[in-house]
Amino acid sequence: MKKKPIIAANWKMYVGSAEEGRALILETRRVTEKAKRVSTIVCPSFSFIAQAVSLCKKRKRLFVGAQNCFYEDAGAFTGEVGARELASIGATHVIIGHSERRSFGETNEIINKKVKAAIRAGLFVILCVGEKERDVDGHYLSFLRSEITAALSGVPGVDMRHIILAYEPVWAIGRGEKESMKPKELHETAIFARKVIAKEYGTDIAFDLPILYGGSIGPHNVKDHLEAGVEGLLVGHASAEKASIRAIIEAADAA
Ligand code: PGA
């Protein structure tokens, strides 16, 4: 049986006001409740998480996640937001290791510490990995393997149920739908990522691990990507616009 699709809506910093955020959540909620199979994880910036939690409370297949968290549980860390705080206000997921965060200097070591902090807080981690470019010699595969193994270093098998792997090739992010990754390439890469997990954790955990694809997903390429060996999609700019998130959730439900 096909697994039920997951749509993670990474608003990034596209939503500029509480009113805009509220309208977007209400539309996302409406279309998710109408759908039969899709689960949606709304990931607003920190400012709108409490609002999102209150609007999504007790709604079926609707969750709220953050786009980042800090790796310490508490202390003198001005401006940081801890995983425990996020969990305490009702967030259930957190995106960690997004390439836009890595570009601000987040290393594999920092990401590994954040993954562990999020698991300690009981959050589900949407762990982002992805190569900057694809070379003909296939070096991107060893790059991908090292990002996955470094981020999960020291994470025991029992905690892998907290992990959702988001494969986001950096070269495919923030473009038009036609410039997204080809489904055939995605299929091969998803198999590769599962093999990396299987080598570390065994085939059962690798099979159960949800893998999302992210990078220029829009209403017209949802179906092809969902048929390429992944369980869901991490959607950036198109998730911050009512018409496109509605069409994406509907397309995922029909896929
Ligand atoms: P995009 O972003 O859909 O805007 O390409 C995806 C992501 O970075 O999560």
Side-chain angles (χ1 to χ4, degrees):
M1 204 179 78
K2 275 208 287 187
K3 294 187 195 166
K4 294 185 177 160
I6 301 166
I7 299 293
N10 176 13
W11 290 5
K12 306 194 177 184
M13 216 181 76
Y14 286 118
V15 176
S17 71
E19 297 87 84
E20 213 187 305
R22 182 183 160 81
L24 188 54
I25 290 163
L26 290 178
E27 181 64 358
T28 306
R29 185 178 90 179
R30 190 186 67 75
V31 70
T32 302
E33 291 198 308
K34 233 176 101 200
K36 299 204 164 52
R37 306 168 54 239
V38 177
S39 291
T40 307
I41 309 161
V42 182
C43 302
S45 50
F46 289 131
S47 323
F48 305 137
I49 288 182
Q51 177 190 44
V53 167
S54 103
L55 292 171
C56 295
K57 207 174 257 166
K58 298 202 178 120
R59 302 288 173 156
K60 271 198 287 182
R61 291 176 282 106
L62 197 55
F63 306 91
V64 178
Q67 298 174 14
N68 182 27
C69 69
F70 194 50
Y71 52 75
E72 295 290 352
D73 293 335
F77 306 107
T78 304
E80 295 293 350
V81 176
R84 236 173 38 185
E85 295 171 51
L86 292 167
S88 80
I89 63 164
T92 49
H93 293 67
V94 59
I95 297 172
I96 293 178
H98 193 282
S99 58
E100 286 151 19
R101 305 268 349 139
R102 292 181 192 256
S103 75
F104 299 142
E106 278 193 20
T107 60
N108 281 333
E109 196 189 350
I110 292 173
I111 289 160
N112 177 243
K113 290 206 274 184
K114 290 187 172 190
V115 167
K116 289 174 175 161
I119 293 173
R120 275 199 302 280
L123 295 174
F124 291 96
V125 176
I126 301 173
L127 171 62
C128 298
V129 296
E131 75 279 2
K132 287 196 188 67
E133 53 188 22
R134 292 213 144 193
D135 56 302
V136 281
D137 300 325
H139 292 307
Y140 67 91
L141 290 173
S142 37
F143 178 82
L144 208 52
R145 180 191 297 114
S146 64
E147 275 197 341
I148 296 171
T149 51
L152 295 174
S153 169
V155 173
V158 298
D159 286 338
M160 284 300 288
R161 64 198 162 77
H162 283 271
I163 305 290
I164 297 169
L165 189 70
Y167 170 56
E168 297 210 300
V170 180
W171 52 267
I173 293 179
R175 297 168 177 274
E177 280 181 70
K178 292 208 174 87
E179 290 163 88
S180 178
M181 184 176 217
K182 303 268 172 300
K184 184 171 173 288
E185 291 172 344
L186 171 59
H187 192 250
E188 288 163 5
T189 317
I191 291 173
F192 176 79
R194 243 182 256 286
K195 276 191 184 152
V196 172
I197 297 291
K199 186 154 182 283
E200 302 288 323
Y201 293 101
T203 48
D204 286 354
I205 288 177
F207 179 78
D208 287 343
L209 176 79
I211 300 183
L212 312 184
Y213 165 77
S216 299
I217 286 295
H220 304 104
N221 60 14
V222 166
K223 184 171 184 294
D224 287 349
H225 283 81
L226 279 180
E227 285 171 355
V230 295
E231 284 68 38
L233 303 166
L234 178 51
V235 186
H237 62 278
S239 74
E241 211 258 300
K242 284 195 284 180
S244 49
I245 190 63
R246 179 196 319 131
I248 286 169
I249 293 171
E250 286 171 352
D253 203 47

